[in-house]
Amino acid sequence: MFFSLLLPWGLRRRLLVWRFGYSIHPTSRIGLAWICPRHLVLEEGARIGHFTVCKNIDRLHLGAHAIIGPLNWITGYPSGGQSRHFAHQPDRAPELILARHAGISSRHFIDCTARVRIGAFATIAGYRSQFITHSIDLAAGRQSSEPIEIGEYCFVGTEVVVLGGSRLPHHSVLAAKSLLNKQWEEPFHLYGGVPAKSLKKLPEEMEYFRRQEGFVW
């Protein structure tokens, strides 16, 4: 697997499809990156940047024209096996899902012990944000996990912390350096702070919320 990184992309793509059964569209591309989930789906035009690592998760799925930038660290705890870790959660889904035109910029840490889903046209911007789906349940004395949901057309600022069980509703903004630790329901809002709370209503006619391409020029 390691030596396949030295192959031209066309040959490496065919090797990944043949050896691991991955679904990789001919127009998608993986840079010089260590990408080894159990299942991989890259739809039309999807891209993964250089020096990103993805390991120990069941599924990585990038919708059409979705992008994961360089130097991201994506990991988790795979399902199955005989370990006692998360045995009380048989329906846990260790996966990262990016809907069409969603984007993750650079140098983020994403823990996919439970599902992390990034909605269509949403942007995880800046750098050094942390998405953490698992923690220790102090009452039960064991590790537990909960999924994270980022809605469509969201903008997530730099250096945020997003905890398991939280949700950012569609067409919303999470301000830089915020802590998202609960499920919010009201769209078209700016959320921010530690912990994050609703700060103000956003105009629905903002161009970011109406764009037809994921990448912002």
Side-chain angles (χ1 to χ4, degrees), residues 134-199:
H134 83 283
S135 184
I136 294 178
D137 183 339
L138 298 178
R142 64 189 179 195
Q143 293 194 49
S144 193
S145 66
E146 294 183 81
I148 289 171
E149 178 85 16
I150 304 297
E152 297 182 356
Y153 286 91
C154 285
F155 181 89
V156 176
T158 192
E159 292 192 282
V160 304
V161 176
V162 182
L163 300 182
S166 59
R167 178 179 184 271
L168 187 65
H170 64 87
H171 296 84
S172 293
V173 174
L174 181 63
K177 295 182 179 292
S178 296
L179 167 65
L180 186 67
N181 65 347
K182 63 179 289 186
Q183 295 189 15
W184 293 94
E185 302 295 336
E186 197 69 29
F188 295 102
H189 271 68
L190 169 64
Y191 296 91
V194 181
K197 60 182 180 180
S198 176
L199 299 179

Side-chain angles (χ1 to χ4, degrees), residues 22-188:
Y22 291 164
S23 176
I24 304 176
H25 193 276
T27 62
S28 63
R29 186 175 182 88
I30 300 174
L32 188 64
W34 184 258
I35 307 298
C36 49
R38 286 179 177 169
H39 303 283
L40 174 66
V41 177
L42 298 181
E43 297 184 24
E44 178 184 2
R47 302 201 310 273
I48 299 176
H50 297 316
F51 308 120
T52 282
V53 173
C54 176
K55 63 177 185 174
N56 296 333
I57 69 173
D58 285 4
R59 183 177 182 86
L60 175 63
H61 188 144
L62 274 65
H65 306 288
I67 297 173
I68 296 177
L71 293 166
N72 290 291
W73 185 270
I74 302 162
T75 188
Y77 197 91
S79 63
Q82 302 301 315
S83 174
R84 295 168 57 190
H85 286 89
F86 310 105
H88 64 292
Q89 296 182 306
D91 297 328
R92 180 176 60 90
E95 58 188 18
L96 174 60
I97 310 294
L98 275 71
R100 60 192 180 93
H101 289 276
I104 297 173
S105 60
S106 177
R107 289 166 287 172
H108 300 295
F109 174 82
I110 304 175
D111 161 41
C112 300
T113 300
R115 178 186 296 112
V116 176
R117 187 179 189 282
I118 312 298
F121 294 91
T123 305
I124 310 303
Y127 58 95
R128 291 208 299 256
S129 289
Q130 300 178 61
F131 290 68
I132 305 173
T133 60
H134 83 283
S135 184
I136 294 178
D137 183 339
L138 298 178
R142 64 189 179 195
Q143 293 194 49
S144 193
S145 66
E146 294 183 81
I148 289 171
E149 178 85 16
I150 304 297
E152 297 182 356
Y153 286 91
C154 285
F155 181 89
V156 176
T158 192
E159 292 192 282
V160 304
V161 176
V162 182
L163 300 182
S166 59
R167 178 179 184 271
L168 187 65
H170 64 87
H171 296 84
S172 293
V173 174
L174 181 63
K177 295 182 179 292
S178 296
L179 167 65
L180 186 67
N181 65 347
K182 63 179 289 186
Q183 295 189 15
W184 293 94
E185 302 295 336
E186 197 69 29
F188 295 102

